[in-house]
Amino acid sequence: MNGVRAIMAAADTAARWHAAQRRKGEAQEPYVNHLLEVAALIAEATEGLDPDLVIAGLLHDSVEDSGISASEIEARFGADVAALVMAVTDDKTLPKAERKWLQVVMAPKKDFRARMLKIADKTSNLRAMAASPPAGWSDERRRDYIAWARAVVDGARGVSPWLEGQFDQAAAEADTALAG
Ligand code: ZN
């Protein structure tokens, strides 16, 4: 498949795989909004030159949240996409605190494409935290989340000044929303 066809097949697949899922924020946006935002950030950051990474952006939460297997992703979209998705997939058999700590520790060890995917994911999450924070989250919980996202991204930096700028802006907006 060429790049455009593969990307649209992945967007269609992602929308189906996450059809029943909503974002955590008060606005309850369809989950696919997050996946499209991450993929769009990657497409910009790579100037359209890395279709597999854009596809991985669309599918990055499918193993963790929709129970899709790496082999299914590989069969449909190839080994490169499957490896990228697995590089940003947490081991859900571990306790949540350990998974969050591992993201911080492992970020610097990932290759530059996985780091780009991480930064795009955290950028989308902090934009959402600023625009529509999860109902029921205390200020302290939001503050902890923002600090954790910054710690993960600090370990992933050095891949795209533009994308890192987008993250810094999203983090600043999330801080401002908290203060306001
Ligand atoms: Zn995500």
Side-chain angles (χ1 to χ4, degrees):
M1 272 197 280
N2 73 25
V4 174
R5 289 167 70 194
I7 287 167
M8 291 319 298
D12 180 58
T13 300
R16 290 167 201 277
W17 282 349
H18 295 272
Q21 203 181 342
R22 300 266 145 186
R23 300 208 75 184
K24 283 195 200 96
E26 272 165 346
Q28 297 269 294
E29 285 177 291
Y31 202 79
V32 71
N33 289 26
H34 166 64
L35 305 171
L36 289 168
E37 183 174 32
V38 169
L41 283 165
I42 292 168
E44 281 301 319
T46 57
E47 299 180 354
L49 296 174
D50 194 344
D52 274 0
L53 191 53
V54 174
I55 293 169
L58 290 165
L59 304 178
H60 77 274
D61 283 325
S62 62
V63 174
E64 227 172 271
D65 295 337
S66 298
I68 305 298
S69 67
S71 55
E72 182 161 6
I73 294 173
E74 183 170 344
R76 290 185 190 224
F77 299 102
D80 184 41
V81 171
L84 285 165
V85 171
M86 293 318 291
V88 297
T89 295
D90 287 352
D91 179 354
K92 278 210 158 170
T93 64
L94 298 173
K96 191 169 181 190
E98 193 172 341
R99 281 188 269 142
K100 294 193 86 169
W101 175 78
L102 273 174
Q103 282 201 32
V104 176
V105 174
M106 295 306 289
K109 303 187 201 317
K110 305 283 184 190
D111 74 42
F112 83 95
R113 292 161 86 215
R115 282 153 57 199
M116 206 177 275
L117 188 42
K118 261 289 168 225
I119 298 170
D121 188 28
K122 296 291 182 267
T123 301
S124 171
N125 288 341
L126 286 192
R127 283 179 180 172
M129 189 65 64
S132 174
W137 277 37
S138 66
D139 282 2
E140 191 190 2
R141 189 167 177 194
R142 284 164 64 181
R143 203 170 287 120
D144 285 352
Y145 185 88
I146 297 163
W148 170 71
R150 277 200 169 98
V152 174
V153 168
D154 281 348
R157 282 180 195 274
V159 291
S160 164
W162 178 82
L163 183 58
E164 289 153 40
Q166 295 296 305
F167 173 82
D168 291 337
Q169 196 177 326
E173 280 164 18
D175 282 341
T176 304
L178 198 51

